Amino acid sequence: MKTLKIKIVALSVLVWGCTPGTEQPSAQTDDTRSEQAMTEASGAVTTEVAGPETDAASTPVTQPAAMVDTQSIESIFSLAGLNSYVLEIEAALARSQAELGIIPQSAADEISATANLASIPQSEIDAEYQIVRHRMVALLNVWRRRLGPDAANYLHYGATTVDIYDSARVLQLRAATRVLIADLRELETGMIELAQAHRTTPMMGRTLGQHALPITFGKKVSGWIGENRRHIDRLGDLLDRIERSVIMKGAVGSYLGLGAEGIEVERGVAMQLGLPAPYRDDWHAARDVFAEYANILAMISRSQGRIGQEVFLLQTTDIAEVAERRPGTAVGSSTMPHKNNPSLSEALIQRSRIIPRLAEIVGDDMINMFERDNTSRPNQVLEEISMASEDMLSESRRLISRLEVDPVRMRENLDRSGGWILAQRFMFALAPEIGRDTAEAHMRDLASAARTSGESLYDVALRDPVITNALTRTQIEDLLDPTTYIGLAAEQVDAVIADALAARENDRSTADTE
């Protein structure tokens, strides 16, 4: 079983896709409607099938996982990947049927031996497509010419195109999910380094846009780490449902075509692909797993948008506590040389607006009719949202790595209120002497008066009899140091990082096969 898992991960970078602006073949209708939808969406056959094969896509699908686990989601959704997945799934189907005695073992062996793109050139598939106008039939016709008569007769035996494409999409999303988990882990590493570097760097904590209480910048980043870690966990949980979604239930989901042993055949296909037993229900019209995938990506994008927006605001001229380090030749503004305009943080905000809209389209696809529908054609949206998410995480990693923190400016901002951000601290210090309610009311009155007079808390405290009767000058000066009033921020940073590092031991990503 372990060998099979490595084999399918090697495939995971070779998933199907179309050239930009074209629709992938439908996996939700019968073969005829599937081809019709694909042809209508592409507008021209040459546009739909054209596209160079990558080196990874032209290698046999049994290559070691270590050779391919650095591939991008763009390569996962490549056109060459479509054929790679179809070949592997068809081979798995043949092996499953042979184990059950449905087809000869020799036929399954021959089908498996030729299940690679080196045996079935894209150029021949393109030429055959011009004749038959059906991508699956074109591929199968070219493949059968490489097989002996017996094996050719048992290729695609009892299967329906919709199941092959749906299973390919499942493997595509499985591969993409693993890459996204790896991307989030890399982002987590950068955040951990940033939080550790500024574990005790004091800064102003803000609530409702106002100066509130001191925190540390490391504490702020630890919040990003925790949110990022929960997204890794969500994707890991989702992988279980994706992996159980490989399907071989036939055109209307009742195993017609595969015969009396159809359930066993389907289970065998999953096993051959290194996956757990499939869901027993016919999920073709449900699509909840795809919607969950898209919704998690939408949540991740909103988290990145939150980080981007905060970094964007923290580097405004009036706050200026952080800055995005730009390459030496980069121009901030064409007409205002003094500006260092934000770039990556702005990009994250924009991603957080687009990706959730794409997720809505995938979610709408859950509302289907009868046993199978294709009115929304979600394949291209799943491809787009996946690649957009990978690009977003790349931008976020670069932002974190380039972020320059200005501790001096942070301290200046801590002092901007004239010490009044420490009024709570004085209230706690006075409470044992005059009672908490009295102390709170007194400090509130002093703060209210200072908003008009502009006096600092230091000046007010030194002449206020309530404070001077309870506290010495030295105590007052000590209480007015904001760097000693950060609570357990540093310890919180340590705890969050420790939890994240411990959780990494159980992460599921492309690193599983290294």
Side-chain angles (χ1 to χ4, degrees):
M1 185 65 71
K2 183 176 181 181
T3 301
L4 291 170
K5 286 186 177 180
I6 292 176
K7 185 175 183 181
I8 192 58
V9 171
L11 275 174
S12 66
V13 300
L14 302 172
V15 202
W16 112 85
C18 290
T19 53
T22 63
E23 175 67 11
Q24 299 159 358
S26 167
Q28 303 300 332
T29 57
D30 58 39
D31 291 359
T32 302
R33 286 190 58 200
S34 172
E35 186 62 19
Q36 180 182 4
M38 182 272 293
T39 304
E40 291 174 353
S42 65
V45 176
T46 53
T47 300
E48 201 281 328
V49 297
E53 296 177 1
T54 63
D55 292 341
S58 61
T59 8
V61 294
T62 53
Q63 60 182 300
M67 294 175 60
V68 298
D69 59 11
T70 58
Q71 296 293 323
S72 68
I73 286 181
E74 184 177 2
S75 67
I76 288 173
F77 285 91
S78 67
L79 177 58
L82 167 64
N83 290 344
S84 295
Y85 268 112
V86 169
L87 298 177
E88 177 65 8
I89 293 167
E90 292 282 3
L93 172 63
R95 292 193 297 271
S96 176
Q97 290 174 320
E99 287 186 357
L100 293 168
I102 297 172
I103 70 172
Q105 184 63 51
S106 58
D109 292 342
E110 189 174 349
I111 290 170
S112 294
T114 54
N116 58 76
L117 292 177
S119 300
I120 307 170
Q122 183 66 47
S123 59
E124 293 189 28
I125 298 173
D126 293 348
E128 187 69 16
Y129 182 90
Q130 298 287 347
I131 300 171
V132 301
R133 312 295 292 184
H134 191 293
R135 181 155 44 176
M136 174 65 80
V137 173
L139 184 147
L140 293 173
N141 285 352
V142 173
W143 194 351
R144 286 189 175 107
R145 293 174 193 144
R146 266 66 173 177
L147 301 173
D150 197 35
N153 184 56
Y154 290 112
L155 178 65
H156 195 68
Y157 192 72
T160 183
T161 298
V162 64
D163 283 344
I164 302 298
Y165 283 137
D166 270 0
S167 294
R169 187 177 356 171
V170 166
L171 298 182
Q172 169 190 10
L173 295 183
R174 177 180 188 257
T177 300
R178 287 177 173 272
V179 170
L180 291 172
I181 290 175
D183 288 343
L184 287 168
R185 281 167 54 91
E186 187 175 345
L187 176 58
E188 181 179 64
T189 298
M191 288 178 173
I192 288 174
E193 292 174 355
L194 185 62
Q196 288 174 329
H198 296 282
R199 174 179 177 270
T200 58
T201 302
M203 69 173 296
M204 194 66 252
R206 298 171 174 91
T207 58
L208 299 178
Q210 305 293 306
H211 284 203
L213 296 168
I215 60 172
T216 70
F217 187 68
K219 182 267 179 189
K220 179 182 290 294
V221 177
S222 73
W224 303 347
I225 295 171
E227 192 171 6
N228 188 78
R229 169 48 50 183
R230 288 188 288 276
H231 289 316
I232 294 174
D233 294 341
R234 288 184 182 100
L235 287 176
D237 292 341
L238 175 64
L239 269 176
D240 293 331
R241 288 179 285 282
I242 290 176
E243 291 179 344
R244 293 189 62 193
S245 295
V246 165
I247 192 165
M248 287 287 154
K249 291 181 171 63
V252 292
S254 58
Y255 296 99
L256 290 174
L258 291 178
E261 295 175 299
I263 294 177
E264 288 76 12
V265 170
E266 180 183 53
R267 186 180 298 113
V269 170
M271 183 192 71
Q272 293 291 334
L273 295 173
L275 301 174
Y279 286 118
R280 295 178 181 271
D281 64 294
D282 175 24
W283 57 258
H284 278 301
R287 321 239 183 113
D288 54 291
V289 174
F290 298 153
E292 183 181 7
Y293 171 83
N295 283 332
I296 291 176
L297 298 192
M299 290 177 65
I300 293 172
S301 77
R302 288 189 172 103
S303 294
Q304 297 307 314
R306 180 177 80 86
I307 295 170
Q309 180 170 265
E310 185 148 8
V311 171
F312 185 98
L313 293 173
L314 287 175
Q315 61 186 311
T316 58
T317 304
D318 298 316
I319 299 178
E321 294 179 348
V322 302
E324 294 179 34
R325 184 177 67 253
R326 301 172 66 86
T329 58
V331 176
S333 171
S334 61
T335 59
M336 292 170 283
H338 66 282
K339 295 186 68 180
N340 181 40
N341 289 334
S343 174
L344 293 170
S345 58
E346 182 184 30
L348 293 182
I349 298 171
Q350 189 258 0
R351 297 282 187 189
S352 72
R353 295 170 180 170
I354 291 177
I355 291 174
R357 304 293 84 78
L358 296 174
E360 288 178 9
I361 298 173
V362 180
D364 287 344
D365 192 51
M366 290 180 63
I367 304 175
N368 280 304
M369 62 190 77
F370 306 125
E371 280 59 54
R372 197 156 301 145
D373 182 28
N374 193 45
T375 55
S376 63
R377 299 181 184 178
N379 296 340
Q380 187 172 349
V381 182
L382 285 168
E383 173 183 344
E384 187 175 351
I385 196 173
S386 300
M387 290 193 291
S389 295
E390 183 182 38
D391 290 343
M392 172 189 66
L393 293 177
S394 175
E395 291 159 351
S396 187
R397 291 196 304 273
R398 282 182 283 144
L399 173 63
I400 293 299
S401 68
R402 296 178 186 178
L403 200 60
E404 293 182 341
V405 178
D406 188 345
V408 174
R409 180 65 174 181
M410 288 180 171
R411 178 56 197 262
E412 291 175 355
N413 286 337
L414 281 170
D415 294 334
R416 284 184 64 183
S417 72
W420 286 103
I421 60 170
L422 298 163
Q424 180 197 70
R425 192 179 197 183
F426 273 79
M427 182 267 291
F428 286 137
L430 294 173
E433 300 296 328
I434 63 175
R436 173 173 177 145
D437 291 343
T438 301
E440 186 173 356
H442 185 67
M443 293 307 301
R444 186 180 295 113
D445 290 341
L446 294 179
S448 178
R451 279 195 287 271
T452 301
S453 68
E455 290 183 286
S456 70
L457 177 53
Y458 179 79
D459 291 337
V460 170
L462 288 181
R463 72 164 187 269
D464 180 72
V466 175
I467 295 178
T468 55
N469 286 338
L471 304 171
T472 67
R473 186 186 186 97
T474 300
Q475 288 175 319
I476 291 172
E477 291 175 348
D478 289 343
L479 291 175
L480 284 168
D481 182 358
T483 66
T484 61
Y485 195 57
I486 58 174
L488 299 177
E491 292 81 358
Q492 189 176 14
V493 171
D494 296 339
V496 171
I497 291 175
D499 287 347
L501 293 176
R504 289 170 75 93
E505 297 296 324
N506 298 316
D507 285 344
R508 300 178 63 189
S509 71
T510 51
D512 293 347
T513 59
E514 294 178 352

